[in-house]
Amino acid sequence: MNGFNKDDEEYDGFPARKAFSQGVCYTYDDVIFLPGHINFPAHEVSLMSKITKKIALRTPLVSSPMDTVTEAAMAIVMATVGGMGFIHYNMTVEEQVAQVVKVKTHRPGFVTDPFVLPPTATVRHLLQQKAAKNFSSAIITDTGSLGGKLLGIVTTRDIQLVTDPTTLLADVMTTEVLTVSSQTSHADAMEFLRRTKKGKIPVTSPSNEVLALCTWSQLVEVSGLPSPGGAPSMDAQGRLLVGAAVGTREGDRERVAKLVEAGLDAVILDSSQGDSSYQIDMIKYLKATHPQLEIIAGNVVTGAQAKNLIDAGCDGLRVGMGSGSICTTQEVCAVGRGQATSVFKVASLAAQRGVPIIADGGIQNSGHIVKALALGASSVMCGSMFAGTTEAPGDYFYQDGVRVKRYRGMGSLEAMQQGSDTRYLSDVNHLKVAQGVSGSVKDKGSVLKMVPYLIHGVKQGFQDLGSSSLTQAHSMMHGGTMLMECRSGSAQKEGGVHDLHSYEKKPW
């Protein structure tokens, strides 16, 4: 089969260029690919791809720079499973830099954000924090934060018989604490745990500053997780890859300089509508000032938008406008595009210029990831998919008996009041109009468990397409040999679970 031929009855369906030229924009659910020929097992599918001109990932998934999705903990696990995390900028410059440093200094296998309190905290405070964050113990330092001098540790056993909740932790903590050096390997630290039969051992510097925590529970938890499937995403110095988002204001230039100094690998210029003189000027400035920094521009949904940013010198593009589950841009502003159409149209132009694109928004399952990648995306950005996970920022709480976490759009009034309105070019306006909502999502467990299953589902999808790699899939798509059709509403219903009185849907 050399390509689509309308006279070949055995080759029905349409190539993407025909399906997306009908004057209608489509979402992922609106389209379906026709199966190809299988001559390879699913585990041999390679999803290695570039997210920028220079940065390649073996797992084409990145976490969204939203303040309820990505901070250091999320970025660390995303890099661990072969993807990458982008830290949000709804915080001060110093706070964002500290998040990047946490990722860059992370030591695989250790808890790098343990629960730390000062000696002046009370038992009541500890119990409240335990209920909210599900910690079973606390490290006590002189500053009450990581990096402070180790004073002791408080476990459940230490406070079990305490009847006065106003008791200071200094009065109940265990001060004789075994520690391991920051130079100790993870394997040696785990062996020390086994030998001493301790549940938790702080990792300290030569000057007794707490740097991390080694725990028996983590060892047990990690042993029960699926394999990450390969090496983590690392830079040339062997540190985890990490990205961050910034705006396009004058002050963001200084922010980028400090992030680069901290070791930032890639920056996202964050805007709901990226085709602006502000973003073009920022791209040119950063290319001249920080030539080694990879710049991802956007968001865009048309070839014309993409061309302007590519001409300015960007290294990658983020595609999507109003397709996220918490985004109301299309409703409020009447501007945007169906995500499947956006990805195909932008990818078609960007591929000619050698610029990778990130499909951002509209992802609900592994099938949507397959569609985004097959339509030309080099990677997929997930927000709601990763919201509510263990690594997402925020505390769990119960709502109607369900354990949930907060999730909000960066265009919601809550997020805009904290500074995210710069991405909508509206921070100087007296009136703020929301382009997103706030809500909650169910507890989804750890990304370390979720991603391996998602990726296996994607590989099975590529096998059904007859494509053994992402590179081959793009070649098939642009060459017209990957065929597809648009689905009616009834076809979409038929393609899901139906005609059952009750069922439980477990993705893995």
Side-chain angles (χ1 to χ4, degrees):
M1 178 176 171
N2 296 320
F4 175 77
N5 186 335
K6 64 181 179 180
D7 297 324
D8 292 341
E9 291 187 0
E10 74 239 61
Y11 296 128
D12 53 2
F14 301 90
R17 65 177 179 272
K18 183 174 180 65
F20 289 110
S21 300
Q22 308 299 314
V24 178
C25 68
Y26 297 110
T27 67
Y28 294 132
D29 284 337
D30 290 327
V31 298
I32 193 75
F33 289 103
L34 303 188
H37 175 67
I38 298 175
N39 57 7
F40 55 89
H43 71 268
E44 289 185 1
V45 173
S46 171
L47 298 177
M48 178 68 71
S49 181
K50 290 185 174 182
I51 62 163
T52 68
K53 293 177 181 178
K54 295 180 181 178
I55 298 177
L57 303 176
R58 68 171 178 84
T59 300
L61 295 179
V62 296
S63 61
S64 180
M66 303 171 69
D67 60 6
T68 50
V69 176
T70 308
E71 290 183 356
M74 179 67 75
I76 287 170
V77 297
M78 287 304 299
T80 299
V81 297
M84 190 171 176
F86 287 85
I87 295 170
H88 72 88
Y89 67 107
N90 219 8
M91 60 179 85
T92 66
V93 177
E94 293 73 23
E95 289 171 337
Q96 193 177 26
V97 167
Q99 294 289 322
V100 170
V101 170
K102 279 186 181 180
V103 180
K104 283 299 181 182
T105 57
H106 173 70
R107 301 184 63 205
F110 293 98
V111 179
T112 54
D113 58 343
F115 186 37
V116 183
L117 288 173
T120 53
T122 64
V123 170
R124 176 187 285 115
H125 180 66
L126 175 61
L127 293 173
Q128 290 172 342
Q129 292 300 304
K130 282 180 63 179
K133 300 183 178 181
N134 201 30
F135 286 109
S136 61
S137 62
I139 295 176
I140 310 301
T141 68
D142 59 348
T143 62
S145 60
L146 199 65
K149 301 281 188 180
L150 176 64
L151 299 179
I153 190 168
V154 177
T155 66
T156 301
R157 185 181 303 171
D158 294 319
I159 61 174
Q160 228 167 14
L161 301 179
V162 176
T163 56
D164 182 5
T166 63
T167 302
L168 298 181
L169 297 183
D171 298 331
V172 297
M173 67 182 181
T174 299
T175 55
E176 296 181 4
V177 182
L178 292 178
T179 65
V180 293
S181 164
S182 57
Q183 305 303 313
T184 305
S185 69
H186 179 251
D188 289 342
M190 289 295 110
E191 178 56 33
F192 188 61
L193 272 177
R194 290 189 183 94
R195 192 169 65 250
T196 59
K197 298 181 180 180
K198 295 292 184 181
K200 299 170 182 65
I201 297 179
V203 181
T204 57
S205 69
S207 54
N208 204 36
E209 296 164 329
V210 178
L211 304 177
L213 185 66
C214 187
T215 73
W216 182 259
S217 60
Q218 188 198 34
L219 175 64
V220 173
E221 180 182 354
V222 170
S223 65
L225 292 173
S227 168
S233 304
M234 291 188 170
D235 62 18
Q237 288 76 46
R239 303 173 300 177
L240 296 180
L241 290 178
V242 62
V246 300
T248 55
R249 301 297 182 185
E250 196 68 30
D252 288 301
R253 299 185 176 190
E254 181 183 352
R255 180 184 287 261
V256 172
K258 292 184 177 180
L259 290 170
V260 169
E261 187 178 345
L264 189 71
D265 298 291
V267 65
I268 282 178
L269 301 185
D270 193 32
S271 175
S272 61
Q273 211 285 51
D275 184 14
S276 68
S277 57
Y278 310 108
Q279 194 155 138
I280 289 172
D281 290 343
M282 189 68 157
I283 294 171
K284 292 178 178 178
Y285 169 81
L286 293 179
K287 276 298 172 187
T289 311
H290 308 286
Q292 81 284 6
L293 180 65
E294 294 290 276
I295 302 170
I296 300 170
N299 281 31
V300 297
V301 292
T302 71
Q305 288 179 297
K307 181 180 182 301
N308 288 338
L309 299 180
I310 292 173
D311 288 344
C314 71
D315 303 297
L317 286 168
R318 195 156 62 133
V319 177
M321 189 174 184
S323 56
S325 64
I326 39 65
C327 186
T328 60
T329 295
Q330 294 184 19
E331 174 186 331
V332 173
C333 301
V335 178
R337 201 174 202 179
Q339 186 67 347
T341 301
S342 300
V343 170
F344 173 72
K345 292 294 187 180
V346 175
S348 298
L349 181 136
Q352 300 173 27
R353 304 286 295 274
V355 176
I357 73 165
I358 301 172
D360 175 24
I363 301 297
Q364 300 172 27
N365 49 55
S366 60
H368 288 167
I369 298 173
V370 172
K371 291 177 182 179
L373 295 175
L375 288 171
S378 295
S379 61
V380 173
M381 179 168 280
C382 298
S384 62
M385 179 74 75
F386 295 152
T389 58
T390 305
E391 296 81 10
D395 297 332
Y396 286 110
F397 62 97
Y398 285 88
Q399 185 173 16
D400 299 326
V402 179
R403 194 168 187 249
V404 298
K405 269 189 182 183
R406 296 290 295 172
Y407 177 51
R408 66 188 186 190
M410 296 304 282
S412 66
L413 287 178
E414 284 184 14
M416 292 174 76
Q417 287 166 357
Q418 288 191 309
S420 72
D421 48 1
T422 58
R423 77 189 302 268
Y424 299 92
L425 306 178
S426 63
D427 63 331
V428 296
N429 291 342
H430 295 293
L431 300 178
K432 298 183 187 298
V433 179
Q435 292 186 39
V437 299
S438 298
S440 59
V441 290
K442 290 171 60 177
D443 177 8
K444 299 174 184 174
S446 175
V447 170
L448 288 170
K449 181 177 181 180
M450 178 191 297
V451 169
Y453 283 104
L454 279 176
I455 289 301
H456 190 67
V458 172
K459 289 185 175 184
Q460 289 181 326
F462 270 63
Q463 182 189 41
D464 286 344
L465 288 172
S467 174
S468 62
S469 70
L470 189 49
T471 301
Q472 182 185 3
H474 288 177
S475 178
M476 292 169 63
M477 190 270 293
H478 292 301
T481 59
M482 184 177 290
L483 302 179
M484 60 187 295
E485 291 176 339
C486 298
R487 297 196 293 177
S488 67
S490 296
Q492 292 181 40
K493 181 178 179 180
E494 181 184 64
V497 180
H498 57 88
D499 297 331
L500 293 178
H501 170 65
S502 63
Y503 68 92
E504 182 179 4
K505 193 172 183 180
K506 292 184 177 180
W508 46 76

